Amino acid sequence: MSKTPDADLNFKLRFKRILFMMGYYSPIEVMLSQYYEDSSGTKKRSDLTDLDVLGLKYDAVLNPHKVVCDCKSGRHVSDANRLFWLRGVCDYFGADLGYLLRPKVDNHARAVATKLGLRVLDERELSDLEKTLQAESLVLPLADPQFHENRQTIWGINVPKGSSLTQEQKQLKEVYSYLSYLYWFYEPHRNLFNLIERFNRVANLLVSLNPRDVLLAYAGLERFAHCLLEMGSYIHARGLSEIKNNARIYLYGGYMGLRERSKFFELLRRATDINESLDPPYLMDTLEVTNRMLRYPQAAALVLPYIEAIYGWCVQLGNRDIEPVFGGKVETGAVVIARDMCVSFCKATGLQENLFSALLAL
């Protein structure tokens, strides 16, 4: 059965390209989910909605900025309804700004958008913005539907019709599910440990000769970088004089959470004579990378779009350097920090570094 074409894809990809030109990392079709307990007490996940385009950007002191764009090309759409929906999504997700992108927007919708703290763009304004940013000059074809489709065809598990998932495929499915749904649902401080744990389970299954595995590895690296940037933002807010302590407070859900877990592990050691450490063995190496990131926050702030560009330009299209993507003005510090994060991610998860050969060769 053929997949129904996405009528809004053109808008999504064009806005994604605009955000990239503005320094954002911008995944599209990000699913928002919610967990709940049914009458039997069983936890279940329910999909709420999806974000057509999500923009994530960090400033020079690692303050995060989130942008959400709702793209609708159909005629029979109520602009006012979409704007109220978008306002709720921005509040739920914690976005700083929301855009509604439509072929045409009437003055009534523009007045509503202003009152709701949102912005609207029609197709003419979108084209003007593309011209202002010289979006057509970007050699990385982010707005090309075929480029997007080529990536989508190797995302996920390919199971022949009528076949059952093998045990290995079930393990991989858990990782795909986490990256696609749970990552954006969990509280940010929980994601670093969850991400590493899930990739550690499948590290021996991923090989550099399989394009699906390489894409999955890069998706994991993007999330790893995002985790460190979120932690770096928290540390900046508390002060850089006690980086390790503030990082641990963040990762364990606050000061009281860290204190309670520390006491539990102390009691466990006394009761069992097992010298179990609260911190995972990879934490010190991860904190070293975080420390380097905090010393060069302007470069670290660019890591996410750089990793995205490296995968698209060097892996997907087979080029050997990323200078053309950035007009010959590559931020070397961003590449160095991306490489450091990559090595740390491999050490923590057990992934083979040759999965990231394109990045590590830069």
Side-chain angles (χ1 to χ4, degrees):
M1 185 174 180
S2 60
K3 186 178 179 181
T4 304
D6 182 355
D8 304 322
L9 183 60
N10 178 54
F11 273 171
K12 295 175 186 178
L13 296 179
R14 289 171 67 186
F15 196 77
K16 172 184 174 69
R17 180 174 62 180
I18 283 174
L19 288 178
F20 181 86
M21 300 289 288
M22 296 169 63
Y24 283 82
Y25 164 68
S26 49
I28 70 171
E29 298 166 356
V30 173
M31 184 63 67
L32 292 186
S33 302
Q34 178 66 50
Y35 265 86
Y36 66 96
E37 290 187 0
D38 62 13
S39 56
S40 66
T42 303
K43 280 193 173 183
K44 294 186 176 181
R45 180 179 64 82
S46 174
D47 292 338
L48 301 176
T49 186
D50 68 322
L51 310 178
D52 285 344
V53 187
L54 168 64
L56 298 172
K57 184 179 181 180
Y58 293 82
D59 62 23
V61 288
L62 301 185
N63 286 317
H65 300 271
K66 299 178 184 177
V67 173
V68 170
C69 183
D70 183 36
C71 303
K72 288 292 174 286
S73 59
R75 293 182 180 180
H76 305 293
V77 175
S78 168
D79 289 353
N81 286 350
R82 295 311 300 178
L83 286 167
F84 280 105
W85 173 89
L86 181 58
R87 180 68 267 166
V89 167
C90 287
D91 292 343
Y92 182 87
F93 191 68
D96 302 290
L97 187 59
Y99 282 85
L100 175 63
L101 181 52
R102 297 275 287 131
K104 292 181 67 177
V105 182
D106 61 35
N107 289 334
H108 172 256
R110 293 182 186 278
V112 172
T114 301
K115 196 164 185 178
L116 292 175
L118 302 171
R119 296 191 180 184
V120 290
L121 285 174
D122 61 26
E123 193 156 15
R124 179 185 58 80
E125 292 166 328
L126 177 64
S127 297
D128 289 344
L129 186 54
E130 288 172 329
K131 291 176 182 177
T132 299
L133 295 173
Q134 298 182 327
E136 293 292 341
S137 68
L138 181 66
V139 296
L140 183 63
L142 292 177
D144 181 0
Q146 188 58 55
F147 179 76
H148 170 72
E149 182 61 26
N150 290 342
R151 173 169 173 155
Q152 290 303 103
T153 56
I154 59 171
W155 176 258
I157 301 169
N158 186 20
V159 181
K161 189 176 181 179
S163 301
S164 300
L165 290 174
T166 66
Q167 187 59 38
E168 292 180 350
Q169 288 171 329
K170 289 179 181 178
Q171 291 177 289
L172 289 169
K173 184 179 179 181
E174 289 183 4
V175 179
Y176 281 112
S177 178
Y178 171 72
L179 295 177
S180 298
Y181 306 108
L182 300 181
Y183 182 88
W184 302 110
F185 163 73
Y186 282 152
E187 295 173 281
H189 74 271
R190 298 181 182 276
N191 272 321
L192 181 66
F193 292 159
N194 278 313
L195 177 73
I196 291 174
E197 179 184 353
R198 282 167 169 78
F199 269 91
N200 182 262
R201 294 174 190 164
V202 300
N204 65 315
L205 304 180
L206 305 187
V207 294
S208 60
L209 296 179
N210 187 336
R212 290 180 184 274
D213 293 349
V214 174
L215 174 56
L216 180 60
Y218 270 89
L221 177 59
E222 288 175 353
R223 301 293 199 278
F224 181 72
H226 181 239
C227 287
L228 296 193
L229 286 164
E230 287 289 292
M231 181 166 64
S233 178
Y234 179 89
I235 294 170
H236 243 297
R238 291 186 63 95
L240 301 180
S241 59
E242 296 184 40
I243 291 177
K244 180 181 177 181
N245 187 49
N246 287 333
R248 295 176 80 241
I249 290 172
Y250 170 79
L251 291 171
Y252 293 110
Y255 176 77
M256 291 305 298
L258 173 60
R259 185 178 178 183
E260 289 171 0
R261 289 176 67 89
S262 297
K263 284 187 175 181
F264 172 77
F265 272 76
E266 182 180 346
L267 292 172
L268 182 66
R269 286 191 289 268
R270 289 179 183 177
T272 63
D273 292 326
I274 298 176
N275 191 24
E276 188 72 24
S277 173
L278 169 61
D279 297 333
Y282 57 78
L283 186 58
M284 285 306 299
D285 179 73
T286 303
L287 291 182
E288 286 182 16
V289 176
T290 304
N291 193 33
R292 291 197 290 274
M293 182 185 76
L294 291 168
R295 289 204 302 269
Y296 305 101
Q298 289 180 304
L302 299 173
V303 163
L304 279 171
Y306 266 64
I307 294 175
E308 183 175 32
I310 290 166
Y311 177 81
W313 185 248
C314 298
V315 179
Q316 198 170 338
L317 296 178
N319 297 292
R320 294 192 175 184
D321 68 76
I322 59 169
E323 283 194 7
V325 178
F326 299 100
K329 299 177 182 178
V330 173
E331 172 56 63
T332 304
V335 176
V336 171
I337 292 174
R339 292 179 61 183
D340 289 345
M341 288 180 175
C342 176
V343 172
S344 179
F345 184 54
C346 290
K347 287 180 179 178
T349 59
L351 289 172
Q352 296 297 314
E353 289 188 7
N354 60 11
L355 287 159
F356 304 97
S357 57
L359 167 58
L360 297 176
L362 295 176

